[in-house]
Amino acid sequence: NAGVTQTPKFRVLKTGQSMTLLCAQDMNHEYMYWYRQDPGMGLRLIHYSVGEGTTAKGEVPDGYNVSRLKKQNFLLGLESAAPSQTSVYFCASSYPAYIAGVGNEQFFGPGTRLTVL
Amino acid sequence: GQQVMQIPQYQHVQEGEDFTTYCNSSTTLSNIQWYKQRPGGHPVFLIQLVKSGEVKKQKRLTFQFGEAKKNSSLHITATQTTDVGTYFCAGRDRDDKIIFGKGTRLHILP
């Protein structure tokens, strides 16, 4: 099993450009998450999804959009990139907490390092 | 909204010394998870605590969940260079929302 994969690993954008980050998981997890990590700020939740076709806002959703058309994929879009969006982006997936007998720990992808000039 | 405060932000210890990081939530948690992130890596799950007053051990690591389910701690005995990294707690509230603490970065001095 590959676990959680993210593409691309690195990207440099100019202000105003758009891009999509792709996250894929092969663990049949219901829940998927997008975080950004900045120095001294820990992990901040951008958007999350509790199932195929559903998405919800997290702590810092402005400037981002997401889609979960397939259970195994969770896309994060930046429509008009800004320098403030320079960060490391992590995708994660997990089982729901309400399923008895399985852990609901989050499995993280390797991250995408994005620089916006 | 729910907040999870984690202290200290940084900790430098001599190899062989003990290390502790603390997590405090503004609300009662249904569970708390701990993750470790090595430099340049991604967070990796360590453990989950669910019960009030729960204590779990993994070799040199001891995890505690407070009686009120609002605080937690991670204690490492006799640190080694392999313990270097950032340790995060993540609290799950009763609405199934997860909030990560900002992490404690552990640096080991040889």
Side-chain angles (χ1 to χ4, degrees):
Chain A
N1 288 347
V4 179
T5 58
Q6 292 182 233
T7 53
K9 287 185 170 51
F10 303 94
R11 186 73 186 268
V12 178
L13 290 178
K14 294 182 179 178
T15 297
Q17 287 185 318
S18 64
M19 78 163 295
T20 301
L21 282 68
L22 172 64
C23 177
Q25 52 96 4
D26 61 2
M27 295 173 282
N28 202 34
H29 286 161
E30 287 293 331
Y31 288 10
M32 295 187 75
Y33 316 81
W34 275 108
Y35 294 92
R36 60 177 290 172
Q37 185 173 39
D38 304 293
M41 298 297 291
L43 292 159
R44 292 185 292 171
L45 184 64
I46 304 171
H47 286 280
Y48 64 100
S49 167
V50 298
E52 181 179 320
T54 70
T55 62
K57 294 180 180 180
E59 183 185 356
V60 288
D62 294 342
Y64 305 94
N65 56 75
V66 289
S67 64
R68 183 103 181 264
L69 299 179
K70 292 183 179 181
K71 186 177 183 178
Q72 63 267 33
N73 296 338
F74 196 27
L75 279 64
L76 178 71
L78 285 74
E79 289 187 350
S80 180
S84 61
Q85 294 177 304
T86 293
S87 188
V88 179
Y89 292 86
F90 287 103
C91 175
S93 69
S94 75
Y95 287 116
Y98 56 77
I99 296 182
V102 298
N104 56 60
E105 66 268 30
Q106 295 186 39
F107 292 81
F108 284 81
T112 295
R113 188 174 296 274
L114 175 66
T115 301
V116 183
L117 303 175
Chain B
Q2 179 195 1
Q3 291 188 355
V4 174
M5 307 298 292
Q6 192 172 351
I7 56 170
Q9 189 174 0
Y10 301 97
Q11 185 86 56
H12 293 77
V13 300
Q14 292 281 348
E15 187 176 5
E17 291 183 339
D18 293 357
F19 158 78
T20 305
T21 173
Y22 301 90
C23 230
N24 292 290
S25 170
S26 57
T27 59
T28 302
L29 302 171
S30 58
N31 67 46
I32 194 160
Q33 297 175 345
W34 285 91
Y35 293 80
K36 177 183 178 181
Q37 184 178 22
R38 293 182 186 275
H42 58 275
V44 174
F45 174 77
L46 293 176
I47 207 159
Q48 175 172 290
L49 304 172
V50 179
K51 299 176 183 176
S52 170
E54 189 170 14
V55 178
K56 286 188 176 180
K57 292 191 175 185
Q58 288 179 349
K59 297 183 180 178
R60 294 178 295 105
L61 278 61
T62 301
F63 303 84
Q64 293 187 332
F65 201 10
E67 293 291 340
K69 300 184 74 172
K70 283 188 172 184
N71 56 73
S72 182
S73 65
L74 158 60
H75 179 82
I76 302 178
T77 304
T79 54
Q80 299 175 358
T81 55
T82 54
D83 296 326
V84 164
T86 301
Y87 294 85
F88 293 98
C89 62
R92 185 185 294 270
D93 68 15
R94 299 195 188 286
D95 296 324
D96 209 25
K97 192 175 290 185
I98 300 168
I99 298 288
F100 275 80
K102 293 186 177 180
T104 297
R105 182 179 295 181
L106 174 62
H107 183 67
I108 309 288
L109 304 169

